[in-house]
Amino acid sequence: MYFSWGDPKMATAFKQSDDLMAAAREEAFSMPLDKIDVSDGARFVNNTFWPFFERLRRDAPIHYCAESKFGPYWSVTRYKDIMAVDTNHAIFSSDAHLGGITVADMDDDFILPMFIAMDPPKHDVQRKAVSPIVAPANLAVLEVLIRERAQKIFDNLPINEPFDWVDRVSIELTTQMLATLFDFPWEERRKLTYWSDIATSDPDLPGNPNRQERQVILLECLQYFTNLWNERVNAPPAGDLISMMAHDPATRDMAPMEYLGNLILLIVGGNDTTRNSISGGLLFLNENPDQYEKLRQNHKLVETMVPEIIRYQTPLAHMRRTALQDTILGGQHIRKGDKVVMWYVSGNRDESEIENPNAFIIDRARPRQHLSFGFGIHRCVGNRLAEMQLKIVWEEILKRWPMIEVLEPPVRVSSSFVKGYEKMMVRIPG
Amino acid sequence: MSHVTFIEANGTEHGVDVDNGVSVMEAAIQNSVPGIDGDCGGNCACATCHVYIDPKWAPLTGERTQMEHDMLEFAEGVEPNSRLACQIHMTAELDGLVVRMPESQH
């Protein structure tokens, strides 16, 4: 049984989350600073991590957490400090062999080199092997395809009946996109969703595959893609990602684990992030009816709303680096080998850099000034594709329906890396 | 004040007057010149203010920094006269500067 937005039962559901947040705020501002550990995925499930970052930004913007399930790490929580780390790849390394790009180190016995987890010069040549797929000329081709598919998905949605927006729209649309980029067997495309979810799942959580099981599943992914590679390497060069990697001198001789690493990067990068921004946008408009009304009155605001959705969602909550030498950051002494986590989700709410950062405002003057894509040489290669997908989604929604109702608080992902939604029930009023 | 002319990929020209010291990226943003994004706000960290310097102005705009070089590695359609507009600040000497924009910022 679902109820519509504004219904008293809905208010009760949200009152519960308000109470949780109040308790979290109390805890965040009273606990000893050195005990704060923002890497705990549980706080992302119930969305109560916000006050902890607020405290760190105020009291300890470069903060050391000595004990966590991921080991000791530094948190960088202010916009400007994050920018400083992100643009200093000479000191702050992304190398997979030093742990990689998330607060969770890669498994020692299962290191996946991928270009996001490499430093120059190797990073540069591998990134350049795949970046043409999101170059302007190809984006124009993809735009037509994405729009046709979005139209088809929307035209088949049930009216006046509850359904899961995450599954029917967000996952479906991004998985179709990804299948196109890989020229992946169409009917089996949900394998991509599955592998993406497995790659980012927490092996310590009950119900998730453990490390061993995860490795087995990812090796199946490698096997599947190796078959595709073998087909494409013997065929003339084509415009899909596998063919591009198979024919580019920088990537054609990759070792199997490096191929798997780059696949996982492209699958997760092109899947989770856009998926969760598609879901998040609808949630934010429901939470902010004045903004939804503003959008209904002026569909052109999609242009500035899209980057605002990406800021407000921050689909990847953090990126991690490893210090290659001792350095001083914001007055703190970072030592060689220390793990440094840039919390984009915090920097995107930094009041000293973004005006009224906790508000979702669809017509901000400079909406693209946010950290969600990262900055520096690892800045998201697919950022313009992501924006285009979201733009098409909202243009096509507005052509069809003035309102889509979120029916209950969404189920959130248990991760301090992938910030997203497992399920979000909605109804399109008929 | 100095004058900058921005020329879009389709040939449309935009002339603006800005205070000296302001970056060429900011000059475009402040005057709503289309074709310059400047997503990172002038930190040389996103390469979305990519411009081509008109050849006769090249000697006066200086050299790319290392970071600028690194960021341009990943921009589209980079040419020897490519620069990031946030790294060029207006001076009296640059009064009259002409820059061209790529088809899109990426």
Side-chain angles (χ1 to χ4, degrees):
Chain A
M1 178 65 194
Y2 297 98
F3 31 84
S4 62
W5 203 268
D7 185 295
K9 287 183 209 142
M10 189 71 180
T12 308
F14 278 88
K15 171 76 169 56
Q16 282 167 353
S17 59
D18 283 353
D19 292 348
L20 270 178
M21 188 68 95
R25 173 168 297 278
E26 172 70 29
E27 191 186 348
F29 281 86
S30 61
M31 75 192 291
L33 266 178
D34 62 350
K35 293 291 173 215
I36 291 183
D37 173 14
V38 283
S39 70
D40 182 2
R43 292 209 173 275
F44 285 79
V45 181
N46 63 16
N47 203 32
T48 58
F49 58 89
W50 299 102
F52 294 88
F53 284 116
E54 204 182 313
R55 172 100 191 272
L56 291 189
R57 282 198 304 275
R58 192 190 74 176
D59 296 340
I62 310 291
H63 171 263
Y64 189 68
C65 175
E67 276 177 56
S68 84
K69 67 175 279 195
F70 307 110
Y73 66 94
W74 290 94
S75 282
V76 185
T77 50
R78 285 187 185 165
Y79 190 103
K80 281 207 162 81
D81 292 328
I82 292 171
M83 180 73 85
V85 173
D86 233 354
T87 52
N88 193 351
H89 53 270
I91 290 185
F92 298 105
S93 167
S94 297
D95 197 326
H97 298 91
L98 300 175
I101 49 112
T102 67
V103 67
D105 292 332
M106 286 193 190
D107 298 348
D108 280 341
D109 61 342
F110 201 74
I111 288 182
L112 294 171
M114 51 180 91
F115 68 80
I116 196 176
M118 288 176 193
D119 296 329
K122 198 171 177 187
H123 157 268
D124 303 1
V125 289
Q126 289 205 355
R127 176 176 167 131
K128 280 197 230 174
V130 298
S131 63
I133 202 153
V134 287
N138 207 39
L139 283 187
V141 176
L142 291 172
E143 177 162 11
V144 179
L145 256 181
I146 297 170
R147 193 174 296 277
E148 283 171 10
R149 288 181 184 160
Q151 288 168 341
K152 207 165 167 187
I153 289 172
F154 289 136
D155 288 342
N156 286 301
L157 289 178
I159 300 299
N160 226 353
E161 184 185 306
F163 67 93
D164 180 10
W165 181 261
V166 173
D167 183 57
R168 294 287 297 263
V169 178
S170 310
I171 289 183
E172 190 51 34
L173 200 62
T174 46
T175 303
Q176 288 188 7
M177 182 72 252
L178 203 54
T180 302
L181 296 183
F182 281 120
D183 194 9
F184 192 86
W186 192 250
E187 294 310 317
E188 298 202 272
R189 63 185 182 277
R190 285 275 173 144
K191 281 185 191 291
L192 294 168
T193 322
Y194 175 65
W195 290 325
S196 176
D197 289 345
I198 293 292
T200 58
S201 73
D202 181 347
D204 296 326
L205 277 188
N208 284 351
N210 64 29
R211 280 181 178 71
Q212 190 61 40
E213 291 162 341
R214 187 170 67 170
Q215 293 179 9
V216 171
I217 296 167
L218 292 179
L219 288 174
E220 287 164 12
C221 168
L222 174 60
Q223 185 54 53
Y224 194 102
F225 270 98
T226 301
N227 294 339
L228 296 179
W229 175 288
N230 291 339
E231 285 170 18
R232 313 255 162 110
V233 76
N234 296 315
D240 66 272
L241 284 167
I242 302 170
S243 181
M244 287 164 86
M245 288 194 284
H247 289 277
D248 192 293
T251 42
R252 70 183 173 209
D253 299 319
M254 283 187 291
M257 288 301 272
E258 197 167 314
Y259 180 41
L260 178 59
N262 279 312
L263 288 168
I264 298 297
L265 165 61
L266 296 166
I267 292 173
V268 173
N271 195 20
D272 274 351
T273 52
T274 316
R275 177 207 301 181
N276 290 318
S277 298
I278 292 174
S279 303
L282 181 57
L283 178 65
F284 308 147
L285 285 171
N286 271 262
E287 288 171 339
N288 297 275
D290 60 322
Q291 300 298 310
Y292 211 159
E293 180 56 27
K294 198 159 43 172
L295 179 65
R296 272 191 290 272
Q297 298 301 328
N298 182 4
H299 294 187
K300 288 204 172 69
L301 291 180
V302 166
E303 199 72 39
T304 46
M305 177 177 77
V306 163
E308 175 69 348
I309 289 173
I310 296 168
R311 176 188 77 91
Y312 209 68
Q313 178 58 36
T314 318
L316 294 179
H318 76 261
M319 282 286 167
R320 166 265 179 98
R321 301 288 184 259
T322 309
L324 291 175
Q325 60 184 72
D326 284 20
T327 187
I328 303 289
L329 179 67
Q332 298 293 321
H333 187 176
I334 313 270
R335 288 177 199 285
K336 179 180 176 178
D338 282 359
K339 191 188 287 198
V340 178
V341 180
M342 299 174 284
W343 292 100
Y344 294 154
V345 70
S346 170
N348 274 341
R349 301 295 178 98
D350 182 349
E351 40 289 286
S352 62
E353 199 65 23
I354 296 167
E355 201 183 327
N356 199 2
N358 290 315
F360 177 69
I361 302 171
I362 65 171
D363 50 358
R364 286 182 182 270
R366 295 181 74 167
R368 274 177 165 168
Q369 221 164 321
H370 63 71
L371 296 166
S372 299
F373 291 127
F375 280 115
I377 62 167
H378 294 286
R379 183 169 168 80
C380 175
V381 71
N383 60 351
R384 295 301 189 237
L385 173 62
E387 289 176 342
M388 190 175 82
Q389 289 189 79
L390 287 172
K391 178 171 154 271
I392 291 170
V393 163
W394 282 100
E395 285 170 355
E396 293 300 322
I397 289 175
L398 290 167
K399 275 184 208 163
R400 287 168 176 75
W401 310 293
M403 173 78 194
I404 301 173
E405 296 173 330
V406 175
L407 298 176
E408 58 182 12
V411 179
R412 296 171 194 270
V413 176
S414 176
S415 165
S416 59
F417 179 60
V418 173
K419 183 171 163 290
Y421 311 91
E422 308 246 357
K423 183 181 167 195
M424 189 168 84
M425 296 304 294
V426 308
R427 178 176 52 206
I428 302 171
Chain B
M1 295 284 267
S2 295
H3 192 80
V4 195
T5 303
F6 293 92
I7 306 176
E8 290 185 62
N10 65 14
T12 311
E13 293 192 16
H14 305 265
V16 304
D17 292 302
V18 289
D19 289 333
N20 291 332
V22 166
S23 77
V24 174
M25 181 276 283
E26 274 297 332
I29 299 287
Q30 285 173 12
N31 292 283
S32 303
V33 174
I36 300 269
D37 293 347
D39 292 2
C40 76
N43 287 282
C44 194
C46 70
T48 65
C49 62
H50 177 197
V51 293
Y52 304 110
I53 305 295
D54 199 71
K56 75 172 189 182
W57 291 95
L60 295 173
T61 51
E63 299 284 315
R64 296 173 190 168
T65 62
Q66 182 61 44
M67 187 62 189
E68 188 180 352
H69 170 85
D70 290 352
M71 291 310 299
L72 279 168
E73 280 282 294
F74 308 113
E76 280 299 314
V78 174
E79 301 289 341
N81 62 337
S82 287
R83 293 291 308 272
L84 294 180
C86 71
Q87 298 304 300
I88 300 167
H89 292 81
M90 290 306 294
T91 58
E93 220 187 356
L94 287 177
D95 187 14
L97 177 68
V98 179
V99 301
R100 289 163 207 278
M101 270 94 81
E103 218 166 294
S104 66
Q105 297 291 346
H106 201 62

